[in-house]
Amino acid sequence: MNKKTLIEWDKKYIWHPFTQMNQWLTEEPVIFTEGRDCFLKDIDGKWYLDGVSSLWVNIHGHRRAEIDEAVKAQIDKLAHSTLLGACNEPSIVLAQNLAEMLIERLPWGEPLTKIFYSDNGSTAVEIALKIAYQYWVNQGIKEKDTFVSLKEGYHGDTIGAVSVGGIKLFHEIYKPLLSKSIQAPAPYCYRCELKLNFPSCGLACLGEMEKIIRQNHERIVAVIVEPIVQCAGGIIVWPQGYLKGLRKLCNKYEILLIADEVATGFGRTGRMFACEHEEVTPDIICLSKGITNGYMPLAVTAVNEKIFNAFLGEIEERKTFYHGHSYTGNPLACAAAIASLEIFKKDRTLENLPPKIELLKNKLSEIAELSHVGDVRQKGMIAGIELVMDKKTKEPFAWKEQTGWKVVRLARKYGVWLRPLGDVIVIMPPLVISEENLARLLEVIKDCIIRISSD
Ligand SMILES: *Cc1c(COP(=O)(O)O)cnc(C)c1O
């Protein structure tokens, strides 16, 4: 189909996510037609380096032969069957592979052995919240009806996930619809609510968290966080010790800890799971984005045996978890995920990261010197560059200037594909990226920041 018609139809029929459609209609959209390695090709034949892993999902590159083959082979057998009252082979094998990996990687508490499937990060979170709530109810504890989450937190766009969301711009408007939650300050040291710097901000924020938990623990179901890096909130990287301290608090007050590793999971932070950095085992973990290397929608909520066992009983006891989706355990998605996990071993994906992480760190420290760069933050292969109007006072650019957008739009000209979070330039390339391409990505970003923001 020709480009002109596609654009016409797109503008006529598609409502794009997180997009002011008024603005969209005035611009020429990019139509991607092909991917290879860390690159995407548009309909005009122009190639772009994929600097944000196609919204944080790609790990091993586009069009990986092993995953292509696995999905094709599965298509020739079975595309879908239900997990409601039945099984299929890929979902069983993947559950075993994931459980084994979770047990091995997160050995510091009750191992996460039970896998509940769904098909996106938001539903993985909904499931975690519902399981956590019912865990207590099934034990006769009904006064627990409140979640604790963090400001600047992001857990997805469905109503339950929005209830524990902390990004004003996205979440505030829905307040009347939401369930009960209390928000603790985020350990966002660059703009610390408690006016403290790195790393004392971390301890102080943990102190605030403790206050909230101490005063409310009897009605708190669980604390839900994005461990180590709050991604959508602006790549907020926690000071060391916060996560470990949070785990201790949850233990002390007997509250469940839900780790939303939808973005941080599958190697992004340099370890398979972010929780590994502080030797923390959560009670529930949510995984999605990277799980299929971006091939198919799939998500997992994994829980420990203690939680699972609280749902066992006679049918009339009503302890069953009455939840499931049409595409739960979809065989094609599970086949893609199994193949993606195998690539981690074959490519030695995690073992190959340290020099790339070092390169990213060095390039970021150059960028940090620029006159409109307020802060650079990094954990493993995730990084954020916060642009500000005034480096000394940290005063942001006027919101409607869309400075972050201007930078990424200019980067397109140089063949780099990015998507910012406000004025934070996000860097989250596929882990397979070569050092050469990573260096180029950072060079282009640096150049574009200079061109857009220099006065
Ligand atoms: C993206 C994201 C989600 C939501 O996942 P979707 O698949 O977009 O619904 C939830 N939590 C975190 C931490 C995320 O980054």
Side-chain angles (χ1 to χ4, degrees):
M1 185 153 288
N2 72 56
K3 182 177 163 187
K4 196 163 158 277
T5 312
L6 285 172
I7 291 179
E8 197 182 301
W9 286 3
D10 175 276
K11 291 190 172 179
K12 194 162 175 203
Y13 298 113
I14 297 188
W15 186 347
H16 285 265
F18 281 92
T19 300
Q20 176 43 258
M21 291 305 291
N22 237 345
Q23 190 171 349
W24 181 264
L25 296 178
T26 66
E27 288 171 5
E28 171 152 340
V30 174
I31 303 175
F32 288 126
T33 56
E34 207 180 311
R36 191 158 292 279
D37 186 38
C38 295
F39 293 87
L40 293 162
K41 189 173 95 174
D42 76 10
I43 200 162
D44 298 321
K46 182 179 165 84
W47 286 90
Y48 300 82
L49 182 53
D50 186 356
V52 285
S53 299
S54 290
L55 243 294
W56 316 353
V57 301
N58 197 291
I59 304 276
H60 307 299
H62 296 272
R63 298 270 338 264
R64 277 298 298 240
E66 301 90 326
I67 309 178
D68 291 0
E69 291 311 316
V71 174
K72 284 176 192 165
Q74 185 57 42
I75 281 182
D76 286 336
K77 290 189 208 152
L78 173 67
H80 187 64
S81 65
T82 180
L83 280 206
L84 278 69
C87 325
N88 65 66
E89 185 176 337
S91 68
I92 296 171
V93 173
L94 177 62
Q96 190 278 341
N97 292 356
L98 281 173
E100 192 174 75
M101 181 189 260
L102 287 163
I103 293 166
E104 185 195 322
R105 299 269 174 184
L106 303 169
W108 305 282
E110 293 262 336
L112 300 163
T113 53
K114 300 289 179 183
I115 305 292
F116 197 100
Y117 286 115
S118 59
D119 40 42
N120 62 76
S122 307
T123 51
V125 167
E126 296 289 333
I127 289 160
L129 299 176
K130 284 177 71 179
I131 287 178
Y133 174 72
Q134 193 175 340
Y135 166 73
W136 298 112
V137 173
N138 280 358
Q139 298 174 80
I141 299 167
K142 298 213 170 98
E143 52 284 6
K144 284 183 177 283
D145 62 356
T146 306
F147 291 91
V148 175
S149 57
L150 288 179
K151 290 182 186 166
E152 312 307 331
Y154 178 82
H155 300 287
D157 297 328
T158 50
I159 291 295
V162 168
S163 296
V164 291
I167 302 177
K168 274 208 175 115
L169 176 66
F170 303 163
H171 301 142
E172 198 171 33
I173 192 169
Y174 303 108
K175 228 173 182 169
L177 304 182
L178 306 182
S179 56
K180 291 180 198 167
S181 84
I182 306 173
Q183 285 183 1
Y188 178 13
C189 298
Y190 180 63
R191 296 188 187 279
C192 175
E193 199 179 301
L194 309 164
K195 305 277 177 250
L196 292 163
N197 290 325
F198 180 90
S200 26
C201 149
L203 257 186
C205 286
L206 196 60
E208 291 300 305
M209 176 64 95
E210 171 147 36
K211 253 189 241 165
I212 290 172
I213 293 180
R214 196 183 329 117
Q215 286 162 7
N216 302 282
H217 65 96
E218 276 164 4
R219 60 187 182 102
I220 295 173
V221 175
V223 178
I224 178 166
V225 293
E226 299 158 83
I228 315 275
V229 192
Q230 292 180 264
C231 290
I235 314 293
I236 297 166
V237 180
W238 295 353
Q240 208 187 335
Y242 185 91
L243 179 61
K244 188 108 187 156
L246 181 60
R247 175 73 268 187
K248 282 192 187 138
L249 284 178
C250 291
N251 287 347
K252 182 172 165 190
Y253 292 97
E254 289 187 61
I255 290 167
L256 299 178
L257 177 61
I258 303 171
D260 176 356
E261 293 228 27
V262 168
T264 53
F266 300 105
R268 291 271 177 223
T269 65
R271 308 288 288 268
M272 189 57 88
F273 304 111
C275 283
E276 291 175 48
H277 291 281
E278 300 209 356
E279 304 193 343
V280 159
T281 308
D283 300 293
I284 303 179
I285 196 168
C286 303
L287 302 169
S288 184
K289 290 196 169 97
I291 192 168
T292 65
N293 198 46
Y295 270 62
M296 309 283 276
L298 182 69
V300 154
T301 308
V303 308
N304 63 36
E305 222 117 304
K306 201 167 103 188
I307 293 174
F308 177 81
N309 288 341
F311 288 74
L312 302 178
E314 299 304 321
I315 200 81
E316 64 273 17
E317 287 182 82
R318 302 202 183 188
K319 289 184 173 176
T320 307
F321 187 46
Y322 287 108
H323 187 112
H325 299 282
S326 311
Y327 285 89
T328 295
N330 175 261
L332 293 176
C334 292
I338 294 165
S340 181
L341 289 183
E342 275 166 14
I343 297 176
F344 272 99
K345 292 186 203 148
K346 186 174 143 219
D347 276 9
R348 299 179 56 78
T349 305
L350 299 179
E351 292 82 349
N352 289 332
L353 288 180
K356 301 180 199 180
I357 293 170
E358 192 60 26
L359 174 73
L360 180 54
K361 186 176 153 212
N362 293 336
K363 294 280 177 193
L364 282 172
S365 67
E366 287 172 27
I367 291 174
E369 301 297 316
L370 301 179
S371 55
H372 288 282
V373 170
D375 193 25
V376 299
R377 302 183 280 270
Q378 180 198 5
K379 188 75 190 177
M381 292 293 279
I382 303 177
I385 301 167
E386 184 163 341
L387 306 176
V388 290
M389 193 171 75
D390 191 319
K391 199 166 173 132
K392 276 210 188 77
T393 64
K394 303 183 182 179
E395 191 186 335
F397 283 106
W399 193 54
K400 67 176 202 329
E401 292 288 321
Q402 298 189 295
T403 309
W405 265 113
K406 286 179 185 156
V407 171
V408 310
R409 220 172 267 132
L410 182 61
R412 270 183 213 178
K413 274 201 186 147
Y414 301 99
V416 164
W417 186 261
L418 297 165
R419 184 174 171 91
L421 291 159
D423 286 344
V424 176
I425 307 300
V426 177
I427 301 162
M428 213 185 293
L431 302 185
V432 74
I433 194 170
S434 67
E435 287 180 56
E436 193 189 347
N437 283 329
L438 183 60
R440 183 167 150 246
L441 173 64
L442 274 294
E443 285 303 324
V444 169
I445 290 172
K446 184 178 171 185
D447 241 40
C448 292
I449 292 174
I450 294 171
R451 278 163 197 252
I452 293 296
S453 68
S454 67
D455 27 30

